[in-house]
Amino acid sequence: LTATGDCVAIHFDARANPAHYARITADLADNPGVVFAAKRVKCGWGAWSLVRATLNAVEAAEAAFPDATHFYMLSGDCVSIKSAAYAHRFLDAHDRDYIESFDFFKSDWIKTGFKEERLIYRHRFNERTQKWLSYRSFDLQKALGLTRQIPADIEVQIGSQWWCLRRRTIETILQFCRDR
């Protein structure tokens, strides 16, 4: 990616092998087009930790690359099917963000399981790895009426974690997070 002039901010999962992290940071230390998130997070599938890890990487990218016009989310499994030149031309020609976004309450994006409960209850335990604790915690909160309000000034959206956003959108998101 950096060979084509793009810059890369990397969040390397804190659960990963420390030797792998040491190697990638050493191998990329002299590449001015690469920055690492200042804080690594232990990530879990579908967990808030993915949001924090993403924000850490975006904060690093926004600070390190002041000339970047777009930011896009990739994983280690992503492979470009178009050239960087094509992507640059396309993004320069269209002044918009690309993100899958559906109204949380009106869409049928969530097919099974919790819907509003995802927002009004706290989920401190991973449903996949701590199923018993997760459901007991939910049952206890429900029995005690320990719900929380959904902020009235936001529209809750849902969709995939993959996106390509303009710099001004990234700056707005980061400022919103700092303010909140």
Side-chain angles (χ1 to χ4, degrees):
L1 294 170
T2 60
T4 65
D6 287 342
C7 299
V8 178
I10 298 173
H11 173 271
F12 203 86
D13 192 332
R15 292 186 195 280
N17 185 326
H20 296 166
Y21 181 69
R23 180 170 179 195
I24 194 170
T25 54
D27 287 352
L28 297 173
D30 295 331
N31 189 328
V34 175
V35 66
F36 286 86
K39 183 168 172 45
R40 294 171 59 207
V41 176
K42 291 180 180 178
C43 295
W45 185 91
W48 283 107
S49 57
L50 293 177
V51 175
R52 181 72 263 165
T54 301
L55 287 171
N56 290 352
V58 169
E59 288 168 346
E62 190 256 352
F65 309 121
D67 295 331
T69 60
H70 292 81
F71 296 75
Y72 53 95
M73 173 82 165
L74 298 175
S75 76
D77 292 333
C78 294
V79 178
S80 298
I81 58 171
K82 300 284 186 180
S83 70
Y86 174 89
H88 296 165
R89 282 192 310 273
F90 182 86
L91 293 173
D92 289 344
H94 301 90
D95 186 29
R96 65 178 65 118
D97 296 313
Y98 296 90
I99 186 166
E100 182 180 49
S101 179
F102 299 99
D103 183 287
F104 184 88
F105 297 102
K106 294 177 184 170
S107 77
D108 66 346
W109 202 86
I110 299 172
K111 301 292 186 200
T112 61
F114 294 149
K115 190 160 186 171
E116 184 183 27
E117 296 88 352
R118 294 175 184 226
L119 305 175
I120 64 172
Y121 294 104
R122 290 164 178 79
H123 302 278
R124 306 236 185 256
F125 304 101
N126 186 306
E127 182 188 10
R128 290 175 176 231
T129 61
Q130 299 171 300
K131 190 176 286 277
W132 188 87
L133 285 172
S134 175
Y135 284 103
R136 293 306 70 77
S137 172
F138 169 73
D139 291 341
L140 182 61
Q141 290 177 74
K142 193 172 179 182
L144 296 174
L146 299 177
T147 59
R148 58 184 173 182
Q149 291 282 56
I150 300 167
D153 63 336
I154 64 170
E155 292 180 23
V156 181
Q157 301 289 306
I158 194 164
S160 171
Q161 74 186 64
W162 311 111
W163 44 260
C164 178
L165 303 173
R166 295 166 293 175
R167 178 175 207 90
R168 70 177 174 265
T169 303
I170 290 294
E171 290 170 346
T172 300
I173 290 167
L174 292 177
Q175 188 60 52
F176 176 85
C177 291
R178 285 189 289 271
D179 291 348
R180 292 285 176 117

